């Protein structure tokens, strides 16, 4: 939840939205105050769903499918309840932004902690988006006749730099997020195409790919990590490189990630503007801050190509406090109800769960980090095995 530099009526409740990683982070609003409603809707839906829906299979795999489904509903409920608590906290403290609520409740230190978390979560998402873009589009270009492994189009660093300069940087330089409405609409349409492709491949490949061991086990040891993550994981790593339908899906996925990137950049820039520039950036500083943020994110993504452990740490150390801990801690401190009131009891429960997820998830991530199998071809894609990419057995 962010201020946009304009004056807000004092009696308004906190303006809060959830992002595509189920964390309560700030989403900047239209600077002009009269942005098109449809554009705002597309941006909100894209930020909530975006490319994150493609990563849900990973969190389900980590938690165990039955438990993963239950956790997904649980996290959704807690997120919704946290928003309600923030609104109630805003009314109790006479504040209308997430930052102001935390600042009034826990002082400047609390405000800095919140701002740091709000910055880190989307910033690391930007890094991961760049990595996904580089990994995904290089596989797409490899399928073009005449493009070999030595071609510049198959160099992930070139692809990241190219897409940054040509697409993500120009889109991120907009000052009014409402202008990204059409971009978000395209991203949502491509997400639907991706889901259709995944469902088609589920039907065509299911009879031929060996079943995973313990696929339907109720719960696994990494369930707490799944709560923190519930977002990233590239499902297209499961498909063969010569699968033409999956290649088209990879292309759609890469474009979707590119078009979602600016929304995360808007958030990081808004946090910096609020902390260091009182919510207002001149045109010159707007450009400088945007270029700096994207340059750092791009630099990291060029150096590292496997951020699995970083993403898990980001989930348990950034997302969990934002959605589980901070909203409940603020409400409990401001609440005027008796200790056994339902809101207080539920808040205590969510707070305890948040601390547990953050602590145990951190330990598990350090002790059992996810394998970096980035770019690894699945065993059933080799010539010695059955050819699955067309959904048929070899003659």
């Amino acid at each position: 939840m962010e201020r946009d530099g304009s004056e807000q009526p004092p009696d308004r409740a906190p303006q809060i939205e959830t992002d595509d990683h189920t964390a309560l982070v700030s989403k900047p609003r239209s600077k002009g105050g009269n942005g098109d409603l449809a554009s705002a809707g597309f941006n909100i839906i894209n930020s909530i769903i975006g490319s994150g829906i493609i990563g849900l299979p990973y969190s389900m795999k980590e938690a165990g499918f039955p438990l993963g489904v239950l956790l997904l509903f649980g996290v959704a409920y807690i997120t919704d309840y946290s928003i309600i608590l923030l609104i109630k906290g805003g009314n109790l403290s006479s504040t209308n932004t997430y930052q102001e609520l935390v600042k009034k409740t826990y002082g400047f230190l609390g405000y800095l902690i919140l701002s740091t978390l709000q910055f880190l979560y989307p910033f690391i998402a930007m890094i991961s988006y760049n990595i996904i873009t580089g990994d995904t589009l290089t596989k797409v270009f490899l399928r073009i006749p005449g493009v070999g492994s030595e071609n510049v189009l198959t160099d992930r660093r070139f692809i990241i730099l190219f897409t940054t300069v040509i697409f993500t940087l120009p889109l991120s330089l907009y000052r009014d997020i409402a202008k990204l409405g059409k971009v978000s609409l395209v991203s949502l349409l491509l997400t639907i195409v991706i889901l259709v492709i995944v469902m088609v491949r589920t039907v065509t490949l299911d009879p031929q790919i060996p079943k995973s061991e313990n696929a339907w086990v109720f719960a696994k040891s990494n369930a707490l990590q799944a709560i923190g993550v519930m977002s990233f994981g590239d499902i297209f790593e499961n498909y063969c490189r010569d699968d033409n339908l999956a290649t088209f899906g990879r292309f759609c996925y890469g474009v979707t990630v590119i078009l979602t990137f600016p929304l995360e950049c808007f958030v990081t820039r808004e946090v910096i503007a609020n902390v260091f520039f009182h919510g207002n950036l001149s045109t010159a500083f707007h450009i400088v801050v945007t270029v700096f943020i994207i340059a750092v994110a791009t630099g990291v993504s060029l150096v590292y190509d496997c951020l699995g452990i970083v993403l898990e740490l980001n989930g348990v150390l950034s997302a969990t406090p934002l959605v589980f801990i901070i909203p409940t801690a603020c409400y409990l401190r401001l609440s005027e109800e008796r200790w056994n009131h339902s809101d207080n009891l539920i808040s205590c429960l969510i707070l305890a769960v948040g601390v547990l997820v953050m602590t145990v998830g951190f330990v598990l991530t350090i002790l059992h980090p996810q394998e970096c199998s980035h770019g690894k071809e699945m065993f059933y894609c080799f010539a010695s095995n059955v050819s699955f990419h067309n959904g048929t057995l070899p003659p």
Side-chain angles (χ1 to χ4, degrees):
M1 185 174 57
E2 290 287 329
R3 289 183 298 178
D4 62 0
S6 61
E7 198 66 33
Q8 301 279 349
D11 58 341
R12 290 185 61 184
Q15 304 298 307
I16 309 159
E17 297 164 13
T18 56
D19 77 342
D20 51 332
H21 314 304
T22 65
L24 297 180
V25 294
S26 57
K27 289 294 178 188
R29 298 181 296 277
S30 171
K31 299 293 181 182
N34 57 355
D36 181 73
L37 181 60
S39 297
F42 293 143
N43 284 330
I44 292 174
I45 297 173
N46 190 32
S47 67
I48 294 175
I49 300 177
S51 60
I53 193 172
I54 305 302
L56 285 177
Y58 168 74
S59 57
M60 297 294 181
K61 172 181 173 292
E62 291 295 291
F65 184 77
L67 179 60
V69 173
L70 294 177
L71 290 177
L72 186 61
F73 280 101
V75 170
Y77 173 78
I78 292 175
T79 301
D80 180 70
Y81 197 84
S82 295
I83 294 175
I84 295 174
L85 290 180
L86 286 178
I87 294 174
K88 291 182 177 181
N91 290 332
L92 291 171
S93 61
S94 299
T95 57
N96 58 10
T97 69
Y98 197 174
Q99 290 87 348
E100 289 176 353
L101 169 62
V102 174
K103 188 174 183 179
K104 190 165 184 178
T105 307
Y106 289 101
F108 188 69
L109 178 60
Y111 169 76
L112 287 180
I113 293 175
L114 173 68
S115 298
T116 301
L117 295 174
Q118 287 182 318
F119 175 85
L120 286 178
Y121 198 83
F123 180 74
I124 296 179
M126 291 166 60
I127 296 173
S128 67
Y129 285 172
N130 274 338
I131 293 176
I132 292 173
T133 299
D135 293 343
T136 302
L137 293 185
T138 51
K139 295 175 183 176
V140 173
F141 291 130
L142 271 173
R143 296 293 296 154
I144 298 177
V147 176
S149 59
E150 301 299 322
N151 193 291
V152 68
L153 292 177
T154 64
D155 185 340
R156 60 176 296 274
R157 294 180 178 86
F158 172 79
I159 294 300
I160 291 173
L161 286 173
F162 179 81
T163 56
T164 297
V165 173
I166 302 300
F167 298 107
T168 56
L169 178 59
L171 290 174
S172 299
L173 283 172
Y174 281 124
R175 295 182 68 94
D176 187 351
I177 197 171
K179 293 184 178 179
L180 294 178
K182 294 180 180 179
V183 172
S184 293
L185 175 59
V186 173
S187 178
L188 292 174
L189 294 176
L190 290 177
T191 300
I192 296 174
V193 173
I194 293 169
L195 293 177
V196 172
I197 291 175
V198 171
M199 289 187 288
V200 169
R201 275 294 173 251
T202 299
V203 174
T204 58
L205 299 182
D206 179 69
Q208 302 153 35
I209 295 180
K211 304 301 181 183
S212 301
E213 185 179 357
N214 297 324
W216 291 97
V217 64
F218 182 80
K220 296 182 181 179
S221 59
N222 289 338
L224 289 177
Q225 286 172 273
I227 296 176
V229 178
M230 281 286 175
S231 58
F232 288 100
D234 187 354
I235 193 173
F236 285 104
E237 289 292 307
N238 295 305
Y239 302 115
C240 304
R241 295 186 181 183
D242 57 352
D243 184 335
N244 292 327
L245 182 60
T247 297
F248 179 65
R250 289 186 181 102
F251 172 76
C252 295
Y253 185 37
V255 175
T256 297
V257 168
I258 291 172
L259 298 182
T260 306
F261 182 101
L263 292 174
E264 308 297 342
C265 185
F266 265 73
V267 177
T268 57
R269 183 175 60 224
E270 197 83 354
V271 172
I272 290 178
N274 285 340
V275 174
F276 298 103
F277 300 94
H278 305 290
N280 293 305
L281 288 174
S282 65
T283 301
F285 275 111
H286 172 86
I287 295 174
V288 170
V289 171
T290 303
V291 172
F292 176 76
I293 292 172
I294 293 181
V296 175
T298 301
V300 175
S301 60
L302 290 175
V303 175
Y304 299 100
D305 64 353
C306 183
L307 290 180
I309 187 173
V310 177
L311 294 176
E312 289 189 351
L313 290 175
N314 194 34
V316 297
L317 298 181
S318 296
T320 302
L322 284 169
V323 69
F324 285 80
I325 298 176
I326 296 179
T328 54
C330 287
Y331 178 78
L332 288 172
R333 186 159 187 172
L334 295 169
S335 177
E336 299 174 349
E337 303 289 346
R338 297 182 59 184
W339 69 269
N340 59 350
H341 188 272
S342 60
D343 282 341
N344 289 339
L345 294 177
I346 296 177
S347 296
C348 288
L349 178 61
I350 295 176
L351 179 62
V353 171
V355 172
L356 177 66
V357 169
M358 185 172 67
T359 305
V360 178
F362 174 77
V363 173
L364 290 178
T365 300
I366 298 300
L367 296 180
H368 306 286
Q370 62 167 296
E371 179 186 359
C372 182
S373 59
H374 148 93
K376 181 179 179 182
E377 192 80 310
M378 302 301 289
F379 73 91
Y380 45 76
C381 295
F382 296 104
S384 59
N385 293 294
V386 176
S387 177
F388 298 108
H389 56 273
N390 290 320
T392 59
L393 295 172

